[in-house]
Amino acid sequence: MASLKEIKNRIGSVEGTLKITSAMKMVASAKLHKAQQAIEGMLPYDRQLHRIMTRMLSSDAKVTSPLCLAREDKKRVAVVCVASNSSLCGGYNSNATRHTLATIDAYKKQFGADAIDCYVIGRKLDQSLQKQQGFNLIREFVDRGDNPKFATAQAIADRLMKDYTDGHIDEVKLVYMHFKSTATQVPTVETYLPVPLETATEEGATAGYVIEPSPEQVINVLIPDALRMKIFTMMLDAQAAEHAARTVAMQTATDNANDLLDELRIQYNKGRQSAITAELLDIVGGSMN
């Protein structure tokens, strides 16, 4: 059994850790609140923009774009994946890494490792992917995961659109953790290019609308803007998921530290009581002698 001094030292150590995890939980919670506001404000705009684009491309206006044309003979693909720059966020990074590698492995079987471009955002994910071999790891945006900027999303989207239009890549996938709730982050894999279009359910999707200067010119501006917004929305979504995972992880660590402190204090009190009892027995035994 540990001595009273050892138990007391351990209690002090756990109390110090408890202060750290409690502070980190409050910081993560504050960041989550801000990130949640950002993604909840962005998602309706992104979805409505995509809906407008879908209605126009699915309408009787017969408008199309090179970014919407799927290619049957696919030779090269790109994967854009997002995770965290730091740790202490539970299984967030490991889940993001696992699903990224699953997506890459599926493409490896189909096209070969040399035909995969992987755009990585997040240092933890980058460290894991560097241990893998074969595919082309593009690391220009590794440190851009914290505090997402639209300029970063625009740079990534413009590069992907140019490569797709020029025929350098034939498909693009997005891999990230979607923020569903504070306790739930959903691994998500989405097709980015070619632009996925659902068939409009309404007859005459553009009926009653006057489109100026022309549907073609509007689409040529709308699609790039929607694709840039999609990357930015993904980054905001992943950031909210990261802060949610860290909040839960630090809350769990704080609860575990409190439970451990209770056990240690009970153990310390029992040890002290045993020591006092032993001393009293020695005194009583000495007086009788």
Side-chain angles (χ1 to χ4, degrees):
M1 182 177 177
S3 66
L4 291 178
K5 184 176 181 181
E6 290 174 343
I7 297 174
K8 192 171 183 179
N9 289 338
R10 193 177 179 194
I11 289 175
S13 176
V14 174
E15 286 177 340
T17 303
L18 175 63
K19 291 178 182 178
I20 294 173
T21 57
S22 180
M24 291 183 67
K25 184 255 180 183
M26 289 188 290
V27 171
S29 181
K31 289 183 177 180
L32 171 61
H33 180 69
K34 185 177 179 181
Q36 190 173 356
Q37 286 182 323
I39 189 60
E40 287 178 351
M42 181 61 68
L43 276 177
Y45 178 82
D46 177 70
R47 289 168 179 167
Q48 183 64 20
L49 187 63
H50 183 78
R51 183 168 177 265
I52 293 171
M53 180 177 64
T54 300
R55 287 166 64 90
M56 292 188 66
L57 290 168
S58 303
S59 69
D60 51 7
K62 306 300 181 185
V63 183
T64 188
S65 167
L67 297 171
C68 302
L69 301 177
R71 297 166 186 164
E72 295 183 1
D73 186 19
K74 298 176 183 178
K75 297 180 179 179
R76 191 169 192 85
V77 297
V79 177
V80 183
C81 48
V82 185
S84 171
N85 281 345
S86 55
S87 56
L88 297 178
C89 48
Y92 174 81
N93 287 315
S94 59
N95 289 334
T97 301
R98 183 170 65 254
H99 286 278
T100 298
L101 290 176
T103 303
I104 292 174
D105 288 341
Y107 278 130
K108 279 183 180 180
K109 297 176 182 178
Q110 189 174 359
F111 305 107
D114 295 337
I116 301 173
D117 291 337
C118 183
Y119 290 75
V120 58
I121 303 173
R123 285 193 293 269
K124 292 299 177 180
L125 182 58
D126 177 57
Q127 292 170 5
S128 299
L129 294 180
Q130 284 189 65
K131 299 175 184 177
Q132 308 297 318
Q133 295 181 351
F135 56 89
N136 180 28
L137 189 61
I138 300 173
R139 306 178 61 244
E140 297 177 25
F141 309 100
V142 167
D143 296 325
R144 308 293 179 85
D146 291 340
N147 299 319
K149 303 294 184 184
F150 184 76
T152 302
Q154 182 175 8
I156 298 173
D158 289 348
R159 181 166 174 175
L160 291 171
M161 286 188 285
K162 184 178 186 305
D163 287 347
Y164 188 84
T165 304
D166 294 344
H168 298 318
I169 54 177
D170 302 307
E171 189 175 60
V172 181
K173 291 284 187 180
L174 306 180
V175 183
Y176 62 99
M177 300 296 289
H178 166 62
F179 172 75
K180 184 177 181 180
S181 67
T182 303
T184 307
Q185 298 84 46
V186 182
T188 304
V189 181
E190 294 182 352
T191 300
Y192 182 69
L193 290 172
V195 176
L197 298 175
E198 300 83 6
T199 303
T201 56
E202 300 90 351
E203 293 184 4
T206 57
Y209 292 90
V210 177
I211 302 174
E212 293 183 352
S214 69
E216 292 81 3
Q217 288 176 288
V218 171
I219 280 295
N220 288 335
V221 175
L222 183 62
I223 289 181
D225 282 350
L227 290 175
R228 296 182 187 112
M229 193 62 63
K230 180 61 182 176
I231 296 287
F232 187 48
T233 302
M234 174 191 69
M235 295 174 68
L236 290 176
D237 202 353
Q239 185 187 47
E242 175 195 344
H243 292 319
R246 182 170 288 111
T247 300
V248 173
M250 291 301 102
Q251 180 62 58
T252 302
T254 300
D255 293 342
N256 290 339
N258 281 320
D259 292 341
L260 183 56
L261 274 177
D262 291 340
E263 294 177 5
L264 289 172
R265 284 169 180 153
I266 292 173
Q267 187 179 352
Y268 178 79
N269 290 334
K270 285 182 177 179
R272 187 176 63 175
Q273 186 177 8
S274 298
I276 293 172
T277 302
E279 289 178 2
L280 287 174
L281 288 175
D282 289 342
I283 293 172
V284 172
S287 64
M288 292 177 63
N289 291 333

